[in-house]
Amino acid sequence: MIKSMPCVKRMNMTTYFAIAAVAVVIAVGSRPLLGQAAAPNDTSVADLTSVPPVAWLPAPVPVANAAAKSETEMKPYAEKIPGTEVTFDMVPIRGGCFMMGSPASEAGRKEDEGPQFEAEVEPFWMAKCEVTWDQYDLWSMGVMKQLRGLRGLQPTQRDHLADAITMPTRPYADMTFGMGREDFPAICMTQLAAKVYCKWLSAKTGRYYRLPTEAEWEYACRAETTTAYSFGNDPEQLDQYAWYFDNSDDRYHKVGRKKPNPWGLYDMHGNVAEWVLDQYTPDGYRVPKTQPVKDPLTVPTTIYPRVVRGGSWLDDPDRLRSAARQGSTEEWKAQDPQIPQSIWYFTDATFVGFRVIRPLRQPTPKEAVAYDIDKVQRIDMIDYRSEERRVGKECRSRWSPYH
């Protein structure tokens, strides 16, 4: 169960709305609308946010061991985000079948973890660690563009592609909430924000990155184990592998500081819960009769609830089990003072982050639609931008000295 957050203090609501009003006026008109071009003087570059990256990927930036034509050729590699010194490691995950969900006999099991079924996933690479602020800020805070400006560099065609990806409006406050930035996991983003970051990363590197499906995530977490955790059934061993309520000191921690799972992935249990692509189904899995189910994915049809996995620094041991699931709620943005409330930030989800994967077999544009921004998210983006402009216009009119 999610505990209270003693390290996060609530602001006075008058202060909240004062900040929000200023933030709205600053933000309006500063970000491209879905469907608009973000790259000046380049009419050939549309807003790529609305198109699966596989339809427009540039040539991949050469990286040692990143290319593979078959599963046997897959190797670990380090991705360096072009134009920066920021790197992250990718681990090859061979394809296979596994029993998804938990047995009825597992201690701490919830009804949403069943019924168990056999799932099959294709091979992919998964990030060794959760996405850190060092990586995420390059897109979300526009640090990449700022670096080019400071260095006096003109944007390349690859930069134009990345710049055409929609950016979030500025957050109203420091989203780390004082818990740390360098090498710490990025938090408080919506699933939409995590998806769009993956698009930006794909544009920068020329390699197709996305969020994992729920099945891919559990498969990688289990790493061929069938126990409650990737290290066994004994929660007494959890301190060696995870940050959770009992040892976290009410905060997240730098990534990769605990023992990894058998496949070399860190923080799959605890630290921050991680976004996956699926809609959350509180009554359990809807399993077809024919098994194994190949690459299962429950494409979302509503904004809430969506799945996060792995448990976090706020959770008890049972919520960190390999099969444990949690669904997002609107309460995760309860403290967001902005009008309209942001589609990019979950102000109260200081326990939610994500990690990226890269499938060995790049899907076709038609196949990739299932992994992309979904229909309800597209509608949400358009409605948000429309309301943001309306409120901004109203504020400017109200504060005009000629009003």
Side-chain angles (χ1 to χ4, degrees):
M1 183 175 65
I2 297 296
K3 306 279 194 310
S4 60
M5 295 179 281
C7 64
V8 181
K9 294 184 173 64
R10 292 179 179 266
M11 285 186 184
N12 175 281
M13 290 309 294
T14 302
T15 305
Y16 260 169
F17 283 101
I19 294 172
V22 174
V24 167
V25 173
I26 292 173
V28 168
S30 65
R31 298 290 185 269
L33 175 63
L34 184 65
Q36 285 186 333
N41 305 317
D42 187 358
T43 55
S44 66
V45 179
D47 175 16
L48 305 180
T49 309
S50 59
V51 182
V54 294
W56 48 258
L57 273 181
V61 175
V63 169
N65 299 323
K69 294 181 179 179
S70 67
E71 184 175 1
T72 56
E73 295 178 4
M74 293 174 70
K75 297 178 181 178
Y77 69 91
E79 184 76 86
K80 182 179 179 181
I81 299 177
T84 77
E85 297 301 314
V86 177
T87 63
F88 59 93
D89 294 324
M90 297 295 291
V91 177
I93 307 296
R94 61 182 177 275
C97 295
F98 76 111
M99 290 303 294
M100 186 167 177
S102 61
S105 59
E106 185 168 296
R109 181 186 190 267
K110 307 295 183 184
E111 288 301 312
D112 63 357
E113 299 168 22
Q116 276 191 297
F117 67 97
E118 187 177 16
E120 181 180 0
V121 298
E122 295 186 42
F124 57 94
W125 286 270
M126 178 175 259
K128 181 184 289 187
C129 296
E130 294 149 342
V131 171
T132 63
W133 287 114
D134 314 64
Q135 301 159 38
Y136 191 68
D137 282 347
L138 292 172
W139 166 72
S140 68
M141 299 297 288
V143 171
M144 190 75 254
K145 294 180 182 179
Q146 295 171 32
L147 286 173
R148 288 204 308 265
L150 289 171
R151 296 168 180 169
L153 300 176
Q154 292 298 312
T156 64
Q157 181 59 30
R158 190 182 298 275
D159 290 329
H160 279 311
L161 284 172
D163 291 351
I165 304 298
T166 301
M167 286 174 57
T169 49
R170 295 284 181 177
Y172 76 93
D174 174 15
M175 286 293 122
T176 73
F177 291 93
M179 293 190 289
R181 204 168 206 96
E182 187 175 353
D183 294 331
F184 287 92
I187 57 168
C188 293
M189 75 290 294
T190 60
Q191 189 207 56
L192 172 66
K195 282 183 175 182
V196 178
Y197 169 82
C198 291
K199 286 174 175 280
W200 175 87
L201 183 62
S202 299
K204 291 295 294 181
T205 62
R207 278 174 279 278
Y208 174 52
Y209 288 102
R210 62 169 171 84
L211 293 180
T213 64
E214 191 170 11
E216 288 166 337
W217 190 96
E218 185 172 327
Y219 178 70
C221 178
R222 287 189 176 281
E224 295 187 324
T225 66
T226 58
T227 47
Y229 306 94
S230 63
F231 53 82
N233 287 314
D234 185 6
E236 293 298 319
Q237 297 182 44
L238 202 53
D239 276 6
Q240 302 175 51
Y241 295 88
W243 298 107
Y244 63 111
F245 184 75
D246 290 347
N247 69 359
S248 67
D249 195 28
D250 294 322
R251 60 193 304 117
Y252 61 36
H253 291 261
K254 291 187 176 184
V255 301
R257 291 333 193 240
K258 294 289 187 177
K259 288 183 178 180
N261 79 352
W263 285 352
L265 302 170
Y266 291 82
D267 301 312
M268 293 297 281
H269 305 293
N271 208 19
V272 293
E274 300 175 13
W275 281 115
V276 294
L277 288 170
D278 299 63
Q279 184 93 62
Y280 175 67
T281 49
D283 55 345
Y285 298 114
R286 292 152 194 170
V287 184
K289 291 183 178 180
T290 302
Q291 296 186 30
V293 182
K294 187 172 177 59
D295 298 314
L297 167 64
T298 303
V299 177
T301 56
T302 60
I303 293 297
Y304 302 101
R306 296 176 185 233
V307 181
V308 293
R309 285 298 208 110
S312 76
W313 57 274
L314 274 173
D315 285 314
D316 289 326
D318 67 299
R319 304 312 301 152
L320 274 64
R321 291 173 301 108
S322 300
R325 312 170 72 209
Q326 184 177 0
S328 62
T329 78
E330 199 164 7
E331 293 176 358
W332 288 4
K333 59 172 66 177
Q335 295 185 77
D336 185 355
Q338 301 179 86
I339 305 173
Q341 287 192 316
S342 180
I343 58 173
W344 304 106
Y345 306 105
F346 275 134
T347 52
D348 296 63
T350 56
F351 49 87
V352 171
F354 69 104
R355 76 177 70 213
V356 300
I357 74 157
R358 176 189 159 215
L360 171 63
R361 184 186 70 84
Q362 186 168 292
T364 65
K366 184 177 180 180
E367 291 173 327
V369 169
Y371 308 110
D372 211 70
I373 296 172
D374 53 67
K375 182 178 180 180
V376 287
Q377 287 176 322
R378 294 178 195 280
I379 294 171
D380 209 32
M381 290 179 78
I382 293 170
D383 289 349
Y384 171 76
R385 187 60 164 165
S386 176
E387 180 66 8
E388 186 183 50
R389 286 184 167 181
R390 184 194 68 77
V391 172
K393 183 177 181 180
E394 184 179 297
C395 288
R396 286 195 299 272
S397 174
R398 185 177 301 169
W399 291 351
S400 169
Y402 305 105
H403 180 70

